[in-house]
Amino acid sequence: MPRQAYVNGRYRPHDDAVVHIEDRGYQFADGVYEVVPVHNGILVDEDLHLDRLDRSLRELRIGAPMSRAALKLISRELMRRNALTNGFLYMQVTRGVAPRDHKFPNGAKPAVVMTTRQMKPHSDKVLSEGLKVITVPDQRWDRCDIKSVSLLPNVLGKQAAVDAGAYEAWQVDRDGMVTEGTSTNAWIVTGDNRVVTRQATHAILNGITRVSLLHLIRNEGYELEERAFSVEEAKSAKEAFLTSSTSFVLPITQIDGQPVGNGHPGILTGKLRQHYIDYVRSLKRSA
Ligand code: PLP
């Protein structure tokens, strides 16, 4: 069976799946999304992702497109049709289709799209060598906590990273403090083994991987500080890493061309990655 997508009530061949030209997501980026990782056929932290989806919708005053039970049913059916074992489920909800006009339309129905993608595990090279990041000015709006499909600064930042031969761009606020990556949260480990990541405010997306890793860090008794850190502090940190639904926990060994610590993936980073993987493997299938 060819790969399928879900579009507004229908399962369609992925290659032919289309939305209307006056979908407000297309015209105004008036919508939100989620990326739920799938490991061995299990949706990782599904309810946390759906809670965040609800929150994003509420903050933008977009109505819930359907019940959570219905969203879960469609997710599972799409995964079944696509024989998805490892990868992710993408879901997007926009304010719907209406004649182009900035103000909220009357009576438009939220539009829902879901796709899946199979992914290979990260290569041994990434894990043994670590990733390079660059820093770029954070050019985004003041509500980065909403997972909106409006991602132009993130796209430009990521491309700047790729152009510089790096994997990710860490965005930096006006005070010289790192907010987060373009699609990942940013972390460092200090010389005295304290794990540091920016506190969840409107300045960052509160990553679900971030939230789960914070629980694990607290449970394991590691020292933790949720606070902003500067580019300088990051460059002189002992270790650095990033988290996201598709990366889990990945080591960073270079920032703006400067080695982090001894230039090799950090020991604590490796331990945290393993704790996270163990956590994901321990998850059970839910209906
Ligand atoms: N920060 C930004 C800007 C993101 O776009 C993402 C994921 O897409 C993350 C952080 C990581 O979030 P999560 O762990 O939920 O994937």
Side-chain angles (χ1 to χ4, degrees):
M1 210 198 302
R3 185 174 164 214
Q4 307 239 312
Y6 173 87
V7 186
N8 292 321
R10 295 215 175 104
Y11 296 95
R12 307 274 309 149
H14 188 97
D15 290 349
D16 300 332
V18 291
V19 293
H20 194 276
I21 53 168
E22 286 194 312
D23 187 297
R24 290 179 63 95
Y26 176 59
Q27 292 192 325
F28 295 115
D30 188 0
V32 300
Y33 73 107
E34 278 298 324
V35 175
V36 190
V38 174
H39 181 79
N40 288 341
I42 293 172
L43 288 152
V44 177
D45 287 337
E46 181 185 26
D47 278 306
L48 294 182
H49 282 278
L50 293 176
D51 289 346
R52 188 172 64 183
L53 180 70
D54 285 347
R55 178 178 184 279
S56 297
L57 289 168
R58 247 190 344 264
E59 292 297 315
L60 297 184
R61 294 161 60 197
I62 298 175
M66 61 183 83
S67 68
R68 179 171 295 208
L71 276 177
K72 286 187 173 184
L73 211 69
I74 296 166
S75 307
R76 279 154 187 69
E77 176 59 15
L78 190 63
M79 285 167 59
R80 190 192 66 75
R81 287 175 185 238
N82 291 337
L84 180 67
T85 49
N86 289 291
F88 62 85
L89 170 79
Y90 176 85
M91 44 173 88
Q92 175 174 317
V93 182
T94 71
R95 203 178 301 275
V97 176
R100 188 180 183 283
D101 189 352
H102 287 61
K103 67 179 186 290
F104 293 176
N106 282 328
K109 264 180 41 198
V112 182
V113 166
M114 285 192 212
T115 57
T116 66
R117 185 162 345 142
Q118 192 82 23
M119 266 180 43
K120 293 204 181 80
H122 288 282
S123 71
D124 291 344
K125 188 168 183 288
V126 166
L127 298 176
S128 63
E129 293 181 8
L131 299 168
K132 298 175 184 171
V133 302
I134 61 164
T135 57
V136 297
D138 195 334
Q139 306 188 83
R140 300 174 300 164
W141 69 332
D142 288 338
R143 291 304 307 272
C144 298
D145 56 309
I146 300 171
K147 200 162 168 65
S148 139
V149 294
S150 172
L151 290 169
L152 203 44
N154 310 56
V155 167
L156 296 175
K158 181 79 177 189
Q159 188 57 40
V162 171
D163 291 345
Y167 175 80
E168 176 61 301
W170 275 8
Q171 301 170 101
V172 180
D173 68 19
R174 291 195 182 139
D175 300 321
M177 311 301 265
V178 174
T179 52
E180 61 183 331
T182 63
S183 62
T184 57
N185 287 115
W187 305 69
I188 57 170
V189 178
T190 63
D192 54 354
N193 289 322
R194 303 173 89 77
V195 184
V196 183
T197 195
R198 189 157 175 143
Q199 67 276 30
T201 62
H202 289 181
I204 67 163
L205 182 77
N206 191 7
I208 302 302
T209 323
R210 174 189 183 280
V211 169
S212 289
L213 190 65
L214 285 176
H215 281 300
L216 296 172
I217 289 171
R218 290 197 182 98
N219 285 346
E220 294 295 325
Y222 296 110
E223 296 295 328
L224 173 70
E225 290 175 14
E226 280 186 83
R227 61 163 173 86
F229 56 85
S230 67
V231 175
E232 283 64 40
E233 185 179 6
K235 285 180 180 169
S236 56
K238 188 168 168 192
E239 304 182 17
F241 61 94
L242 56 80
T243 56
S244 80
S245 293
T246 50
S247 312
F248 292 0
V249 177
L250 289 178
I252 290 169
T253 46
Q254 233 186 64
I255 302 173
D256 288 337
Q258 278 179 232
V260 177
N262 61 10
H264 296 289
I267 290 170
L268 190 47
T269 299
K271 285 186 185 164
L272 295 178
R273 179 176 166 81
Q274 196 52 52
H275 284 308
Y276 187 75
I277 289 172
D278 291 345
Y279 163 68
V280 166
R281 285 186 179 147
S282 75
L283 295 173
K284 302 270 181 301
R285 204 174 297 273
S286 72

